[in-house]
Amino acid sequence: MSYLESDGMIYDQRLCKGMKYGFVDSSKNGCGWVACYNLLHLLGYPYSPQGVCKSMAAWLPFGGLIGTHIVPLYLWLRKHTSLKIAFVSNYTPLRLKKSKGGIVWYFTGKGLHFAAFSPTENGKLKFYNAIYGHKNLCCTLPEFRKRYSPFRWMMVLSVPK
């Protein structure tokens, strides 16, 4: 699987070309299942990328033509782990620094995107598949929002410790 890195993470969903996610190719609309796979992998779950993609595809509205919606993604993840959801504007909830990891849902300027994250030892978050191919994207949530999302809002799903 050329899209998996040595740490088992997916940093660039474009490399998932050819893997169908509903009616659409994962390289285009697969950020939802990629974020879920990355989060579950971070948490130590033994799911394969293909298994997550196939299972989540059954939850897609309109066969994935409009991508993954946050409500089915949240419900799917709740079946596998405890998950909290928050609307974030200008602050970073303290619980993110004390979380096991999570997923952000934000507007990139071109469309909506999901990316997994994990807390780092220095209090920042490491993001996966947020900027395709970047393996060391670490910053605070406000820094991330300021750099990568032109809107002041985003949704954050996090797994408490």
Side-chain angles (χ1 to χ4, degrees):
M1 293 176 264
S2 62
Y3 51 84
L4 279 182
E5 293 294 330
S6 59
D7 61 0
M9 302 299 287
I10 300 172
Y11 292 92
D12 189 343
Q13 79 182 58
R14 296 174 299 182
L15 300 177
C16 297
K17 190 169 181 70
M19 186 184 296
K20 286 291 186 189
Y21 184 48
F23 300 131
V24 185
D25 194 86
S26 289
S27 63
K28 301 237 184 280
N29 282 358
C31 65
W33 80 258
V34 168
C36 288
Y37 165 77
N38 280 340
L39 176 60
L40 292 173
H41 184 73
L42 284 166
L43 299 174
Y45 288 83
Y47 299 121
S48 70
Q50 300 89 344
V52 172
C53 179
K54 184 177 180 180
S55 177
M56 285 193 65
W59 293 66
L60 285 171
F62 307 108
L65 295 174
I66 59 169
T68 307
H69 190 275
I70 193 162
V71 172
L73 181 137
Y74 173 78
L75 294 172
W76 187 88
L77 272 175
R78 286 284 299 179
K79 294 179 92 165
H80 302 277
T81 186
S82 61
L83 198 63
K84 305 293 181 195
I85 190 166
F87 180 76
V88 177
S89 60
N90 286 330
Y91 67 94
T92 303
L94 288 176
R95 67 183 161 88
L96 289 185
K97 293 179 183 176
K98 297 178 181 177
S99 73
K100 293 180 184 177
I103 294 175
V104 291
W105 185 52
Y106 61 101
F107 183 67
T108 65
K110 295 180 181 178
L112 293 168
H113 188 64
F114 290 101
F117 67 83
S118 62
T120 65
E121 291 179 8
N122 64 5
K124 294 186 177 186
L125 302 172
K126 181 175 181 178
F127 293 89
Y128 305 87
N129 193 47
I131 306 300
Y132 299 152
H134 286 237
K135 297 178 185 166
N136 291 307
L137 179 57
C138 294
C139 54
T140 65
L141 191 61
E143 289 169 341
F144 180 86
R145 187 183 47 76
K146 186 175 182 180
R147 287 184 206 159
Y148 304 112
S149 181
F151 287 157
R152 299 177 61 111
W153 63 267
M154 64 176 44
M155 297 295 290
V156 179
L157 309 170
S158 63
V159 178
K161 283 188 178 178

Coordinates of all heavy atoms in Angstrom, one line a residue, residues 82-138:
S82 N -15.0 6.6 22.4 CA -15.7 7.7 23.0 C -15.2 9.0 22.3 O -14.0 9.2 22.0 CB -15.4 7.8 24.5 OG -14.0 8.0 24.7
L83 N -16.1 9.9 22.0 CA -15.8 11.0 21.2 C -16.6 12.2 21.7 O -17.7 12.1 22.0 CB -16.2 10.7 19.7 CG -15.6 11.5 18.6 CD1 -14.1 11.3 18.5 CD2 -16.2 11.0 17.3
K84 N -15.9 13.4 21.7 CA -16.5 14.6 22.1 C -16.5 15.5 20.9 O -15.6 15.5 20.1 CB -15.8 15.3 23.3 CG -15.7 14.4 24.5 CD -17.0 14.1 25.1 CE -16.8 13.3 26.4 NZ -18.0 12.7 26.8
I85 N -17.5 16.4 20.8 CA -17.5 17.3 19.6 C -17.6 18.8 20.2 O -18.2 19.0 21.2 CB -18.7 17.0 18.7 CG1 -18.6 17.8 17.4 CG2 -20.0 17.2 19.4 CD1 -19.6 17.3 16.3
A86 N -16.9 19.7 19.5 CA -16.9 21.1 19.9 C -16.9 22.0 18.7 O -16.3 21.6 17.7 CB -15.7 21.4 20.8
F87 N -17.5 23.1 18.8 CA -17.4 24.2 17.8 C -16.3 25.1 18.3 O -16.4 25.6 19.4 CB -18.8 24.9 17.7 CG -18.8 26.0 16.7 CD1 -18.9 25.7 15.4 CD2 -18.7 27.3 17.1 CE1 -18.9 26.7 14.4 CE2 -18.7 28.3 16.2 CZ -18.8 28.0 14.8
V88 N -15.3 25.4 17.5 CA -14.2 26.2 17.9 C -14.2 27.5 17.0 O -14.4 27.4 15.8 CB -12.9 25.4 17.6 CG1 -11.7 26.3 18.0 CG2 -12.9 24.2 18.5
S89 N -14.0 28.6 17.7 CA -13.8 29.8 17.0 C -12.4 30.4 17.3 O -11.5 30.2 16.6 CB -14.9 30.8 17.3 OG -15.0 31.1 18.6
N90 N -12.3 31.1 18.4 CA -11.0 31.8 18.7 C -10.3 31.2 19.9 O -9.4 31.9 20.4 CB -11.3 33.3 19.0 CG -11.6 34.1 17.8 OD1 -11.1 33.7 16.7 ND2 -12.4 35.1 17.9
Y91 N -10.6 30.0 20.3 CA -9.9 29.5 21.4 C -9.6 28.0 21.2 O -10.2 27.3 20.4 CB -10.7 29.6 22.7 CG -12.0 28.8 22.7 CD1 -12.0 27.6 23.2 CD2 -13.2 29.3 22.1 CE1 -13.2 26.8 23.2 CE2 -14.3 28.6 22.0 CZ -14.3 27.3 22.6 OH -15.5 26.6 22.5
T92 N -8.7 27.5 22.0 CA -8.4 26.1 22.0 C -8.9 25.5 23.3 O -8.4 25.8 24.3 CB -6.8 25.9 21.9 OG1 -6.4 26.5 20.7 CG2 -6.5 24.4 21.8
P93 N -9.8 24.6 23.2 CA -10.3 24.0 24.5 C -9.1 23.2 25.1 O -8.3 22.5 24.5 CB -11.3 23.0 24.0 CG -11.8 23.5 22.7 CD -10.6 24.1 22.1
L94 N -9.0 23.3 26.4 CA -7.9 22.7 27.2 C -8.0 21.2 27.0 O -7.0 20.5 27.0 CB -8.0 23.0 28.6 CG -7.6 24.4 29.0 CD1 -7.8 24.7 30.5 CD2 -6.2 24.7 28.7
R95 N -9.2 20.6 26.8 CA -9.3 19.2 26.7 C -8.6 18.6 25.4 O -8.2 17.5 25.4 CB -10.7 18.7 26.7 CG -11.6 19.1 25.5 CD -13.0 18.7 25.8 NE -13.9 19.4 25.0 CZ -14.3 19.0 23.8 NH1 -13.8 17.9 23.3 NH2 -15.1 19.6 23.1
L96 N -8.3 19.5 24.4 CA -7.6 19.0 23.3 C -6.1 18.6 23.6 O -5.6 17.7 23.2 CB -7.5 20.0 22.1 CG -8.9 20.2 21.4 CD1 -8.7 21.2 20.2 CD2 -9.5 18.9 21.0
K97 N -5.5 19.4 24.5 CA -4.2 19.2 24.9 C -4.1 17.9 25.8 O -3.1 17.3 25.9 CB -3.6 20.3 25.7 CG -3.4 21.6 24.9 CD -2.9 22.7 25.7 CE -2.8 24.0 24.8 NZ -2.4 25.1 25.5
K98 N -5.2 17.5 26.4 CA -5.3 16.3 27.2 C -6.0 15.2 26.5 O -6.4 14.2 27.1 CB -6.0 16.7 28.5 CG -5.2 17.7 29.3 CD -5.9 18.1 30.6 CE -5.2 19.1 31.4 NZ -5.8 19.5 32.6
S99 N -6.2 15.3 25.2 CA -6.9 14.3 24.5 C -5.9 13.2 23.9 O -4.7 13.5 23.9 CB -7.7 14.9 23.3 OG -6.8 15.3 22.3
K100 N -6.5 12.1 23.5 CA -5.7 11.1 22.9 C -5.5 11.4 21.4 O -4.6 10.9 20.7 CB -6.3 9.7 22.9 CG -6.4 9.2 24.3 CD -7.1 7.8 24.3 CE -7.4 7.3 25.7 NZ -8.1 6.0 25.6
G101 N -6.3 12.3 20.8 CA -6.3 12.6 19.4 C -7.7 13.1 19.0 O -8.6 13.1 19.8
G102 N -7.8 13.4 17.7 CA -9.1 13.8 17.2 C -9.1 14.1 15.8 O -8.1 13.8 15.0
I103 N -10.1 14.8 15.3 CA -10.3 15.2 13.9 C -10.8 16.6 13.9 O -11.7 17.0 14.7 CB -11.3 14.2 13.2 CG1 -10.7 12.8 13.1 CG2 -11.7 14.8 11.8 CD1 -11.7 11.8 12.5
V104 N -10.3 17.4 13.0 CA -10.8 18.7 12.7 C -11.6 18.7 11.4 O -11.2 18.0 10.5 CB -9.7 19.8 12.7 CG1 -9.2 20.0 14.1 CG2 -8.6 19.5 11.7
W105 N -12.7 19.5 11.3 CA -13.4 19.7 10.1 C -13.5 21.1 9.8 O -14.0 21.9 10.7 CB -14.8 19.1 10.3 CG -15.7 19.1 9.1 CD1 -15.4 18.6 7.9 CD2 -17.1 19.6 9.0 NE1 -16.5 18.7 7.0 CE2 -17.5 19.3 7.7 CE3 -17.9 20.2 9.9 CZ2 -18.8 19.7 7.3 CZ3 -19.2 20.5 9.5 CH2 -19.6 20.3 8.2
Y106 N -13.0 21.6 8.7 CA -12.8 23.0 8.4 C -12.9 23.3 7.0 O -12.9 22.4 6.1 CB -11.4 23.5 9.0 CG -10.3 22.8 8.3 CD1 -9.5 23.4 7.3 CD2 -9.9 21.5 8.7 CE1 -8.4 22.8 6.7 CE2 -8.8 20.8 8.1 CZ -8.1 21.5 7.1 OH -7.0 20.8 6.5
F107 N -13.0 24.6 6.6 CA -13.1 25.0 5.3 C -11.7 25.5 4.8 O -11.1 26.3 5.5 CB -14.1 26.2 5.1 CG -14.3 26.7 3.7 CD1 -14.9 25.9 2.8 CD2 -13.9 27.9 3.4 CE1 -15.1 26.3 1.5 CE2 -14.0 28.4 2.1 CZ -14.6 27.6 1.1
T108 N -11.2 24.9 3.7 CA -9.9 25.2 3.3 C -9.8 26.5 2.4 O -8.7 26.9 2.1 CB -9.3 24.0 2.4 OG1 -10.1 23.9 1.2 CG2 -9.4 22.7 3.2
G109 N -10.9 27.0 2.0 CA -10.9 28.1 1.0 C -11.5 27.5 -0.3 O -12.0 28.3 -1.2
K110 N -11.4 26.2 -0.5 CA -11.9 25.5 -1.7 C -13.0 24.6 -1.4 O -13.9 24.3 -2.2 CB -10.8 24.8 -2.4 CG -9.7 25.7 -2.9 CD -8.6 24.9 -3.6 CE -7.5 25.8 -4.1 NZ -6.4 25.0 -4.8
G111 N -13.0 24.0 -0.2 CA -14.0 23.1 0.2 C -13.8 22.7 1.6 O -12.9 23.1 2.3
L112 N -14.7 21.8 2.1 CA -14.6 21.3 3.5 C -13.6 20.1 3.5 O -13.5 19.3 2.6 CB -16.0 20.8 4.0 CG -16.9 22.0 4.2 CD1 -18.3 21.5 4.4 CD2 -16.5 22.9 5.3
H113 N -12.9 20.0 4.6 CA -11.9 19.0 4.7 C -11.8 18.4 6.2 O -12.0 19.2 7.1 CB -10.5 19.6 4.4 CG -9.4 18.6 4.2 ND1 -9.4 17.6 3.3 CD2 -8.2 18.4 5.0 CE1 -8.3 16.8 3.4 NE2 -7.6 17.3 4.4
F114 N -11.5 17.1 6.3 CA -11.3 16.5 7.6 C -9.8 16.1 7.7 O -9.2 15.7 6.7 CB -12.0 15.2 7.7 CG -13.5 15.3 7.8 CD1 -14.3 15.1 6.7 CD2 -14.1 15.6 9.0 CE1 -15.7 15.2 6.8 CE2 -15.5 15.7 9.2 CZ -16.3 15.5 8.1
A115 N -9.2 16.3 8.9 CA -7.8 15.9 9.1 C -7.7 15.5 10.6 O -8.3 16.1 11.5 CB -6.9 17.1 8.9
A116 N -7.0 14.4 10.8 CA -6.8 13.8 12.1 C -5.6 14.6 12.8 O -4.8 15.2 12.1 CB -6.4 12.4 12.1
F117 N -5.6 14.6 14.1 CA -4.5 15.2 14.9 C -4.2 14.4 16.1 O -5.0 13.6 16.6 CB -4.8 16.6 15.2 CG -6.0 16.8 16.2 CD1 -5.7 16.7 17.6 CD2 -7.2 17.0 15.8 CE1 -6.7 16.8 18.5 CE2 -8.3 17.2 16.7 CZ -8.0 17.1 18.1
S118 N -3.0 14.6 16.6 CA -2.6 14.0 17.9 C -1.9 15.1 18.7 O -1.2 15.9 18.1 CB -1.7 12.8 17.7 OG -0.5 13.1 17.0
P119 N -2.0 15.1 20.0 CA -1.3 16.1 20.8 C 0.2 15.7 20.8 O 0.6 14.5 20.8 CB -1.9 15.9 22.2 CG -2.5 14.6 22.2 CD -2.9 14.2 20.8
T120 N 1.0 16.7 20.9 CA 2.5 16.5 21.0 C 2.9 16.9 22.4 O 2.2 17.4 23.2 CB 3.3 17.4 20.0 OG1 3.1 18.8 20.4 CG2 2.8 17.1 18.6
E121 N 4.2 16.5 22.7 CA 4.7 16.8 24.1 C 4.8 18.3 24.4 O 4.8 18.7 25.5 CB 6.1 16.1 24.2 CG 6.0 14.6 24.2 CD 7.3 13.9 24.4 OE1 8.3 14.6 24.6 OE2 7.3 12.7 24.2
N122 N 5.0 19.1 23.4 CA 5.2 20.5 23.6 C 3.8 21.3 23.6 O 3.9 22.5 23.5 CB 6.1 21.1 22.6 CG 5.6 21.1 21.2 OD1 4.5 20.6 20.9 ND2 6.4 21.5 20.2
G123 N 2.7 20.6 23.7 CA 1.4 21.3 23.8 C 0.8 21.6 22.4 O -0.3 22.2 22.4
K124 N 1.5 21.3 21.4 CA 0.9 21.6 20.0 C 0.2 20.3 19.6 O 0.2 19.3 20.2 CB 2.0 22.0 19.1 CG 2.6 23.3 19.4 CD 3.6 23.8 18.4 CE 4.1 25.2 18.8 NZ 4.9 25.8 17.8
L125 N -0.4 20.4 18.4 CA -1.1 19.3 17.8 C -0.3 18.9 16.5 O 0.1 19.8 15.7 CB -2.5 19.6 17.4 CG -3.4 20.1 18.6 CD1 -4.7 20.6 18.1 CD2 -3.6 19.0 19.6
K126 N -0.2 17.6 16.2 CA 0.3 17.2 14.9 C -0.8 16.8 14.0 O -1.7 16.0 14.5 CB 1.3 16.0 15.1 CG 1.9 15.5 13.8 CD 2.9 14.4 14.0 CE 3.5 14.0 12.7 NZ 4.5 13.0 12.8
F127 N -0.9 17.3 12.8 CA -2.0 17.1 11.9 C -1.6 16.1 10.8 O -0.4 16.1 10.3 CB -2.4 18.4 11.3 CG -3.1 19.3 12.3 CD1 -2.3 20.2 13.0 CD2 -4.4 19.3 12.5 CE1 -2.8 21.0 14.0 CE2 -5.0 20.1 13.5 CZ -4.2 21.0 14.2
Y128 N -2.5 15.2 10.4 CA -2.3 14.2 9.4 C -3.2 14.4 8.2 O -4.4 14.5 8.4 CB -2.5 12.8 10.0 CG -1.7 12.6 11.2 CD1 -2.2 13.0 12.5 CD2 -0.5 12.0 11.2 CE1 -1.4 12.7 13.6 CE2 0.3 11.7 12.3 CZ -0.2 12.1 13.5 OH 0.5 11.9 14.7
N129 N -2.7 14.5 7.0 CA -3.4 14.7 5.8 C -4.1 16.0 5.7 O -5.1 16.2 5.0 CB -4.5 13.5 5.6 CG -5.0 13.5 4.1 OD1 -4.3 13.6 3.2 ND2 -6.4 13.4 4.0
A130 N -3.7 17.0 6.5 CA -4.3 18.3 6.4 C -3.7 19.0 5.2 O -4.5 19.6 4.4 CB -3.9 19.1 7.7
I131 N -2.4 19.0 5.1 CA -1.8 19.6 3.9 C -1.1 18.3 3.2 O -0.2 17.7 3.8 CB -0.7 20.6 4.2 CG1 -1.3 21.7 5.0 CG2 0.0 21.2 2.9 CD1 -2.5 22.5 4.4
Y132 N -1.6 17.9 2.1 CA -1.2 16.7 1.5 C 0.3 16.5 1.4 O 1.1 17.3 0.9 CB -1.7 16.5 0.1 CG -3.2 16.5 0.0 CD1 -3.9 17.0 -1.1 CD2 -4.0 16.1 1.1 CE1 -5.3 17.0 -1.2 CE2 -5.4 16.1 1.0 CZ -6.0 16.5 -0.2 OH -7.4 16.5 -0.2
G133 N 0.8 15.4 2.0 CA 2.2 15.0 2.0 C 3.0 15.6 3.1 O 4.1 15.1 3.3
H134 N 2.5 16.6 3.9 CA 3.3 17.1 5.0 C 3.2 16.2 6.2 O 2.2 15.9 6.7 CB 2.7 18.5 5.4 CG 3.1 19.6 4.4 ND1 3.7 20.7 4.8 CD2 2.8 19.7 3.1 CE1 3.9 21.5 3.7 NE2 3.4 20.9 2.7
K135 N 4.4 15.7 6.6 CA 4.5 14.7 7.7 C 4.8 15.3 9.0 O 4.7 14.6 10.0 CB 5.5 13.7 7.3 CG 5.2 12.9 6.1 CD 6.3 11.9 5.7 CE 5.9 11.3 4.4 NZ 7.0 10.6 3.8
N136 N 5.1 16.5 9.1 CA 5.5 17.1 10.4 C 4.8 18.5 10.6 O 5.4 19.5 11.0 CB 7.0 17.3 10.5 CG 7.7 16.0 10.6 OD1 7.4 15.2 11.5 ND2 8.6 15.8 9.7
L137 N 3.5 18.5 10.3 CA 2.7 19.7 10.5 C 2.2 19.8 11.9 O 1.3 19.1 12.4 CB 1.5 19.7 9.5 CG 0.5 20.9 9.6 CD1 1.3 22.2 9.4 CD2 -0.6 20.7 8.6
C138 N 2.9 20.6 12.7 CA 2.7 20.8 14.2 C 2.4 22.2 14.5 O 3.2 23.1 14.1 CB 3.8 20.3 15.0 SG 4.1 18.5 14.9

